[in-house]
Amino acid sequence: MSKTLIRGAKVLGGEAQDVLIDGGTVAAVGTGLDADGARVVEADGRILLPGLVDLHTHLREPGREDSETVLTGTRAAASGGYTAVHAMANTFPVADTAGVVEQVWRLGRESGHCDVQPVGAVTVGLEGKQLAELGAMHESAASVRVFSDDGKCVDDAVIMRRALEYVKAFDGVIAQHAQEPRLTEGAQMNEGTVSAELGLGGWPAVAEESVIARDVLLAAHVGSRVHICHLSTAGSVEIVRWAKSKGWNVTAEVTPHHLLLTDELVRSYDPVYKVNPPLRTEADVRALREALADGTIDCVATDHAPHPHEDKDCEWGAAAMGMVGLETALSVVQHTMVETGLLDWAGVADRMSFRPAAIGRLAGQGRPVSAGEPANLTLVDPAYRGAVDSARFASRSRNTPYQGRELPGRVTHTFLRGRATVMDGKLV
Ligand code: DOR
Ligand code: ZN
């Protein structure tokens, strides 16, 4: 059995401690631990976090292997400090059957770079018309608990109600991409002063907020669990805050890009900023940061959306929506939340590991850093400063909005059940 001693790491940002990994498990946490033949990682000053967990990753396999595969996507995840990702269902074919989710699950097991938990589609073909075989996907080897038509909204209230009722039986959750389709026909960016000036079709906040309002009410009515994907407006935050104050089973996520970027960037007409939901205003960014800090928003989810350059290096109107995020998420959170004093590192562990793992009901992930727990760990050097260079990404795609931008922090080591997937900043 291989042993690793991480020496002098600030566990969740607290006092420096040694952490001994033996096989796949954390064997001891303390001071002055004996190396006793273990490989030693000198961590002085670095932060040790539980392995990060992403609730919202587009791995693109099967069908769009030109933009990402399970192998390249999980390598990108490990580079970014993740030990588990939820693979979204909008693949080709759509992950709406036990066969497809099992295929993705099996590919994840073979990739070895992080755990892959497939998300099942809510409706057949993401078409919003007919419920997919939710029970069969849950009972499959992939044990699906999170269902989403992400990329599309489950806009039919009756279908949404039935889905919520169905997953209640096995403690599942519906992750809604909240976007009222009629209100966003032809929309290209956030509806506001910038869209008016640029003459681009606007995407009103109410298109997101009205669906969230309906769905928290439906979840309460049915007594089931709803999760709101990528909240992007101040109004959405208010609705989720209200739903939580009622004690309803509602959780929500925010992406790193919605914590940092605004629709002012669309003035460049650079499609790297084209994303769904769209970048919003400074006031929205402020509300999202505050909501993540106070726990109204449960977690950060990347919405890692790789696209090949031919789908992004074109005019704004024709470009695909989405940006890669796995390899920059932690740096953006450090920049927007930690260095602004809104969240400490224990808060980062909560919002990027404990809570997303709990929402997905993932076993063995999002666990405390203590003896007896699985050794899923991420070591971060918060003092590092460097420009983002997409040429160094493990992802197959390069569509990052941060190219050349200086961001703080760097993942130096990632451990998946005790095995290093990243060592000294390099994939193993
Ligand atoms: O920007 C986005 N891209 N938002 C989504 O909801 C889907 C995603 C994708 O699949 O490219
Ligand atoms: Zn989405």
Side-chain angles (χ1 to χ4, degrees):
M1 273 298 189
S2 68
K3 287 188 185 181
T4 304
L5 181 69
I6 304 171
R7 194 181 267 149
K10 295 178 177 166
V11 179
L12 274 60
E15 291 300 304
Q17 289 192 297
D18 303 338
V19 174
L20 181 66
I21 301 171
D22 190 353
T25 308
V26 175
V29 180
T31 46
L33 295 187
D34 195 345
D36 187 26
R39 171 181 61 184
V40 176
V41 174
E42 295 293 353
D44 40 23
R46 296 189 207 151
I47 310 291
L48 190 65
L49 299 174
L52 308 184
V53 175
D54 195 13
L55 265 179
H56 194 143
T57 311
H58 295 276
L59 290 179
R60 302 294 192 218
E61 192 174 359
R64 284 310 300 267
E65 292 84 354
D66 56 329
S67 50
E68 197 77 285
T69 64
V70 172
L71 181 63
T72 60
T74 56
R75 284 167 64 85
S79 292
Y82 287 87
T83 52
V85 298
H86 288 73
M88 272 298 169
N90 63 339
T91 48
F92 300 92
V94 170
D96 58 1
T97 63
V100 180
V101 294
E102 278 190 358
Q103 180 192 358
V104 174
W105 175 77
R106 204 169 310 110
L107 287 166
R109 299 249 300 191
E110 287 160 11
S111 89
H113 291 276
C114 75
D115 287 354
V116 174
Q117 174 57 57
V119 173
V122 178
T123 68
V124 175
L126 309 177
E127 283 176 353
K129 303 268 186 287
Q130 194 188 334
L131 270 195
E133 46 182 60
L134 310 184
M137 287 190 270
H138 174 67
E139 277 153 29
S140 76
S143 304
V144 177
R145 271 212 175 75
V146 182
F147 295 89
S148 182
D149 275 2
D150 182 64
K152 291 197 178 165
C153 181
V154 181
D155 69 310
D156 183 315
V158 173
I159 301 258
M160 187 62 181
R161 177 191 178 155
R162 291 216 182 98
L164 287 165
E165 281 168 347
Y166 202 107
V167 300
K168 220 178 132 176
F170 49 80
D171 193 24
V173 60
I174 305 295
Q176 175 70 295
H177 170 119
Q179 179 187 355
E180 211 292 314
R182 292 275 289 140
L183 286 170
T184 49
E185 273 171 22
Q188 295 284 337
M189 67 171 296
N190 178 49
E191 181 179 303
T193 51
V194 182
S195 69
E197 282 176 44
L198 299 181
L200 285 174
W203 194 305
V206 63
E208 175 172 313
E209 293 157 5
S210 55
V211 173
I212 298 175
R214 181 201 72 177
D215 287 352
V216 298
L217 289 165
L218 274 177
H221 180 64
V222 167
S224 188
R225 239 175 7 117
V226 72
H227 175 76
I228 311 297
C229 295
H230 40 52
L231 242 73
S232 71
T233 77
S236 298
V237 166
E238 284 311 302
I239 296 162
V240 169
R241 191 171 279 134
W242 171 71
K244 287 192 168 189
S245 77
K246 296 279 196 184
W248 299 339
N249 231 327
V250 174
T251 56
E253 68 187 34
V254 64
T255 71
H257 46 276
H258 289 108
L259 290 172
L260 180 57
L261 309 177
T262 70
D263 63 353
E264 289 292 331
L265 291 161
V266 180
R267 292 183 191 281
S268 68
Y269 288 107
D270 185 340
V272 80
Y273 301 116
K274 188 172 175 185
V275 65
N276 175 356
L279 301 177
R280 305 285 189 181
T281 68
E282 200 60 55
D284 293 311
V285 168
R286 214 176 312 121
L288 293 167
R289 288 184 185 185
E290 282 164 12
L292 184 64
D294 73 21
T296 301
I297 296 178
D298 297 82
C299 62
V300 175
T302 66
D303 196 4
H304 177 82
H307 291 290
H309 72 90
E310 59 271 25
D311 291 352
K312 284 302 252 183
D313 298 345
C314 52
E315 81 252 34
W316 182 273
M321 290 183 279
M323 32 184 84
V324 291
L326 287 168
E327 293 172 83
T328 48
L330 189 56
S331 290
V332 174
V333 170
Q334 184 181 335
H335 175 60
T336 57
M337 300 298 296
V338 179
E339 296 188 349
T340 52
L342 286 166
L343 214 56
D344 58 13
W345 286 104
V348 173
D350 185 62
R351 310 299 197 274
M352 296 185 80
S353 179
F354 297 151
R355 288 220 227 175
I359 293 165
R361 305 285 195 255
L362 281 191
Q365 295 282 350
R367 303 291 308 159
V369 181
S370 49
E373 295 288 355
N376 296 315
L377 301 166
T378 297
L379 190 61
V380 189
D381 176 5
Y384 176 86
R385 294 288 180 282
V388 174
D389 180 5
S390 65
R392 295 212 293 257
F393 282 175
S395 172
R396 183 162 281 182
S397 291
R398 300 279 175 267
N399 51 307
T400 175
Y402 311 117
Q403 176 61 21
R405 182 169 182 149
E406 186 167 302
L407 285 175
R410 188 171 75 117
V411 171
T412 64
H413 295 72
T414 308
F415 294 92
L416 178 63
R417 283 180 288 282
R419 189 174 64 77
T421 54
V422 174
M423 275 288 261
D424 298 317
K426 292 190 187 65
L427 278 162
V428 179

